[in-house]
Amino acid sequence: MNALESVGFRSDGRLLALNSYENRVYQIGMEESAPLVAKFYRPERWTDAAILEEHAFVQELAEREIPVVPALVLNGKTLHNFEGFRFAVFPKHGGRAPELENRHTLEWMGRFLGRIHAIGALKPFRERPSLDIASFGEQPRDYLLTHEFIPADLNAAYRSAVNQALDGVSHCFARAGKVSALRLHGDCHAGNVLWTDDGPHFVDFDDSRMGPAVQDLWMLLSGDRSDMVRQLSDVLAGYEDFCDFDQRELHLVEALRTLRLIHYAAWLAQRWDDPAFKQAFPWFNTQRYWQDRILELREQIALMDEPPLWQA
């Protein structure tokens, strides 16, 4: 509340912590206006330049009337400091989770993702990273192994599974060939989409980075193979109204899922000293957790050997 007062807002004392673990995000009631949302960035994760590049991308999308929620410009800035913490302020935007089993919803989502990617392809990020095998697979694997998170009796099995999985990822990227990288949302799951009667609003571009377009599509797919083929067809029916899709990227769907699984385990491990993580993820770092990760990786190894969802 003091941080918002430092940029000209007076709180009425209402404070609600929102569901965020990487950063700290609060809905704060205002005396003379609708509530606002303040995001306090985890120290040392992003440089100021990388955060500002994300803000500029979202603002670029908003200026093209794409439904996103950009940071407010206050005193000429979107990124602020208060007592050593960096923060940004956003208008509150309500909504519900999208009904991804609905074909109309998937096509609608596809249209807006196509518009986002059409803008994202206009120029590259300079300050934000790319989604690649090294940063999302090899480095997370090395962190888990060198910091001894894997139980000793499972270490050999995990090491074997993760190395085979990363070999499979490399083969998938080789089969896809050289695909284009563009500015992405980066973490486009249902929790980062707010749905209203006017359609979707995309929020939380904190993981925005360069990468293949399919990274923003595959997390909308679930179920068995036939389900995912139908869902992808619905998404692309809307997507390709605004942006061409390179079907070679279908070779990357299970590879990107594999990278996310490895990266997620390491993300939890790297944050494990944060008390909020121990409270929110009590099942992490147990014997059962690592047994399940080994089985999961073995399943992904098999899935990466299968043909893409459809042949180009």
Side-chain angles (χ1 to χ4, degrees):
M1 290 186 284
N2 289 341
L4 261 68
E5 192 164 315
S6 74
V7 291
F9 295 104
R10 290 186 60 82
S11 168
D12 62 8
R14 293 176 294 160
L15 186 69
L16 175 65
L18 301 181
N19 185 24
S20 177
Y21 300 105
E22 184 59 43
N23 304 299
R24 296 294 185 266
V25 184
Y26 300 92
Q27 178 180 303
I28 303 175
M30 294 289 109
E31 285 187 352
E32 299 179 354
S33 65
L36 296 172
V37 173
K39 176 193 284 188
F40 292 82
Y41 291 91
R42 181 176 290 272
E44 301 180 3
R45 180 170 185 244
W46 294 121
T47 64
D48 287 2
I51 294 173
L52 290 171
E53 193 170 49
E54 173 218 331
H55 290 180
F57 178 42
V58 178
Q59 183 59 44
E60 187 180 354
L61 296 175
E63 289 171 356
R64 305 295 182 95
E65 298 184 345
I66 296 172
V68 294
V69 183
L72 297 176
V73 179
L74 306 171
N75 303 320
K77 301 186 297 182
T78 57
L79 184 63
H80 313 279
N81 283 273
F82 184 78
E83 296 185 352
F85 290 96
R86 297 171 299 170
F87 72 99
V89 184
F90 300 83
K92 178 193 173 186
H93 195 291
R96 59 187 184 275
E99 299 175 358
L100 294 182
E101 66 279 5
N102 185 304
R103 303 186 70 164
H104 179 63
T105 297
L106 288 171
E107 186 173 344
W108 205 339
M109 292 271 286
R111 285 199 296 273
F112 280 117
L113 283 170
R115 292 179 63 192
I116 289 172
H117 287 179
I119 303 304
L122 294 178
K123 61 183 179 181
F125 282 135
R126 299 295 184 189
E127 303 294 336
R128 300 183 75 80
S130 295
L131 195 169
D132 55 35
I133 298 173
S135 61
F136 262 64
E138 295 168 352
Q139 292 169 16
R141 172 202 60 192
D142 294 345
Y143 183 90
L144 292 169
L145 292 172
T146 58
H147 288 79
E148 300 181 348
F149 274 89
I150 317 300
D153 60 323
L154 297 176
N155 187 282
Y158 181 84
R159 186 184 297 268
S160 174
V162 74
N163 286 336
Q164 288 183 59
L166 288 174
D167 285 344
V169 170
S170 295
H171 292 150
C172 289
F173 273 80
R175 288 195 294 271
K178 186 173 179 58
V179 298
S180 298
L182 47 83
R183 292 176 294 172
L184 302 168
H185 182 287
D187 193 26
C188 194
H189 57 76
N192 282 335
V193 180
L194 299 175
W195 194 272
T196 69
D197 292 341
D198 294 325
H201 272 72
F202 294 85
V203 299
D204 195 3
F205 281 71
D206 195 59
D207 284 301
S208 188
R209 64 190 64 229
M210 298 294 293
V214 74
Q215 168 64 14
D216 279 350
L217 306 183
W218 73 261
M219 275 184 272
L220 304 177
L221 313 179
S222 61
D224 61 23
R225 185 181 178 88
S226 62
D227 290 332
M228 290 194 290
V229 168
R230 177 188 59 78
Q231 293 158 4
L232 181 61
S233 177
D234 294 335
V235 171
L236 290 180
Y239 184 92
E240 293 197 305
D241 286 344
F242 296 94
C243 192
D244 291 334
F245 179 73
D246 183 350
Q247 291 195 16
R248 294 179 304 158
E249 293 189 22
L250 295 177
H251 287 286
L252 303 180
V253 169
E254 294 303 334
L256 292 168
R257 193 191 310 274
T258 301
L259 289 177
R260 184 175 177 84
L261 294 172
I262 299 169
H263 183 268
Y264 183 70
W267 176 73
L268 290 172
Q270 290 164 346
R271 304 290 186 257
W272 201 232
D273 289 336
D274 183 333
F277 276 64
K278 287 185 170 65
Q279 182 176 356
F281 307 102
W283 36 260
F284 175 71
N285 209 29
T286 62
Q287 188 83 3
R288 175 63 181 274
Y289 175 83
W290 293 113
Q291 289 172 338
D292 288 345
R293 299 293 73 74
I294 292 167
L295 291 174
E296 193 172 55
L297 288 172
R298 288 172 176 166
E299 291 172 356
Q300 286 303 117
I301 291 166
L303 288 170
M304 286 188 287
D305 278 339
E306 293 186 4
L309 292 178
W310 66 64
Q311 298 287 350

